[in-house]
Amino acid sequence: MTSPIVTRFAPSPTGFLHIGGARTALFNWLYAKKLGGKMLLRIEDTDRERSTEAAIAAILDGLKWLELDWDGEVIYQFSRAARHREVAESLLADGKAYHCYATPEELTAMREKARAEGRTRLYDGMWRDRDPATAPAGMKPTIRLKAPQTGETVIEDQVQGRVVWQNENLDDLVLLRGDGTPTYMLAVVVDDHDMGVTHVIRGDDHLINAARQKQIYDALGWDIPSMSHIPLIHGPDGSKLSKRHGALGVDAYRAMGYLPAALRNYLVRLGWSHGDQEIFSTQEMIDAFDLSGIGRSAARFDFAKLENLNGHYIRHADDQSLVTQFEQILDYVPEGAELKPKLNERTRAQLLQAMPSLKERAKTLLELIAGSYFIFADRPLEIDAKAAALLTPEARELIGRLKQALEKVSPWSTETTETAMRNFAEENNLKLGAVAQPLRAAVTGRTTSPGIFEVLAVLGRDECLARLGDQAAPP
Ligand code: GLU
């Protein structure tokens, strides 16, 4: 029997969960789900100065919003420092690592010399074979890996293929600092090993780290997990992803009104493909996902594509679920302050009733909010400029008469209001549009809205007549 698949997502809590991290999490999640394995979550908080509680909260919150659940408890890397130290000391005891007493000044000089000579190996090995008896008194040494000086370090990467480094170019890594804290490189190896990680899937900015980590695995006599380094996400022009081009936290995508399912679908296609299929339900994604479908070139972030995909998900979403998501997003957008107090049984029902039309017109939840203005607006309505242009003195006079005609309508429904308006148009020798447009302007304050009779039905008789009264010319 083959051992179960264990992947992990290992963010450093130095900032929000950015879009690249979310994609990495998604790929790890999909791979684990597909093979009936587990995805673990490790917060890499060893950098005490740059790690913050707020960033941890943002990462957990972002993953939850994206519905990427992890297995078991969250593992905090810093809490494992004693274990990391123990492993460094075991390497020391085995002669696979050594104490280095180089002073900061010596290290700087070495670095400058190496740079001047164009060498990538910065440490010159001064303490590698030196007798610790000659160590300067009172100085706390670091522990360095006694890395191989000849030969090659090879990673058989599932995405990048075979990647080879000449050992002469790689440094003797610091494993444990003078103050006894582990370096990131050691911590990752020990944690991945102890957590039973079988597959590491992460951004290709970590490829060089894979070589260094391989040397640590080798020294420990541990097997290295399968490695997949995914090309980073670039901007639409191929350059590094900038804020303007999408390098934002997942929370920003939520606040822009994207649905988690749409963002997952967008992210899965960012660097991974399955024929030319673009739309994937979660189950389809899980079934189709494989490492061999990950491309080798950088994916380009395209807001327009994300927006179109989101529009697709909104149009196909269940109306009640959109009402729920509409409510949830109010906590994250400025409009929320005004709209939340207005949510009640009546407005929720109105929203649900209008949803089939509202969702046809919205690519984001923000557009859904904008489209629902007519439901939540207080009288007298704020009339936007385009609608105001329609409300000429003649139109206001017309609205006054139309109001009188609509007052007689009973019961009040899309059908009865439509009949009344058609009759009114005919009696006045007007085209339907010549009546409908000012009517829409008066009851919604806008020139676009769901079908006007639906709007009338959703708002109900009293509110419609009152809004018409607000805009009608005095008789
Ligand atoms: N903590 C690293 C990061 O946030 C990831 C390390 C890894 O996946 O091995 O970039």
Side-chain angles (χ1 to χ4, degrees), residues 94-136:
D94 288 351
K96 303 223 166 105
Y98 59 93
H99 275 141
C100 168
Y101 293 86
T103 63
E105 295 72 34
E106 285 168 331
L107 290 170
T108 307
M110 276 181 223
R111 229 173 272 136
E112 280 168 7
K113 187 156 178 280
R115 291 219 173 99
E117 292 169 9
R119 283 184 284 113
T120 53
R121 179 192 219 155
L122 305 177
Y123 181 72
D124 69 4
M126 74 183 282
W127 282 94
R128 196 175 156 104
D129 299 307
R130 201 141 131 191
D131 182 356
T134 63

Side-chain angles (χ1 to χ4, degrees), residues 175-304:
L175 302 174
L176 206 68
R177 298 190 190 88
D179 63 3
T181 58
T183 57
Y184 165 72
M185 221 59 75
L186 174 70
V188 169
V189 169
V190 175
D191 291 349
D192 281 341
H193 173 263
D194 290 1
M195 288 159 67
V197 170
T198 59
H199 289 74
V200 169
I201 305 170
R202 62 188 176 192
D204 69 6
D205 48 334
H206 286 285
L207 187 57
I208 175 69
N209 292 342
R212 300 183 172 125
Q213 291 163 6
K214 172 78 165 59
Q215 293 190 332
I216 303 177
Y217 277 102
D218 288 349
L220 287 162
W222 294 344
D223 287 336
I224 187 164
S226 152
M227 292 274 164
S228 298
H229 287 90
I230 347 164
L232 298 185
I233 302 170
H234 283 184
D237 55 359
S239 61
K240 187 169 180 287
L241 195 63
S242 65
K243 272 217 164 111
R244 187 164 59 93
H245 288 141
L248 302 164
V250 162
D251 54 326
Y253 288 89
R254 166 161 57 190
M256 285 185 276
Y258 293 108
L259 305 188
L263 192 56
R264 283 199 302 270
N265 193 154
Y266 181 69
L267 288 176
V268 80
R269 287 286 295 106
L270 217 46
W272 174 81
S273 57
H274 182 67
D276 42 24
Q277 186 174 346
E278 291 289 346
I279 310 276
F280 293 86
S281 70
T282 303
Q283 193 55 49
E284 283 173 333
M285 253 183 235
I286 293 172
D287 293 340
F289 190 77
D290 53 3
L291 298 174
S292 59
I294 301 176
R296 275 205 213 184
S297 49
R300 295 188 181 199
F301 196 88
D302 179 349
F303 256 120

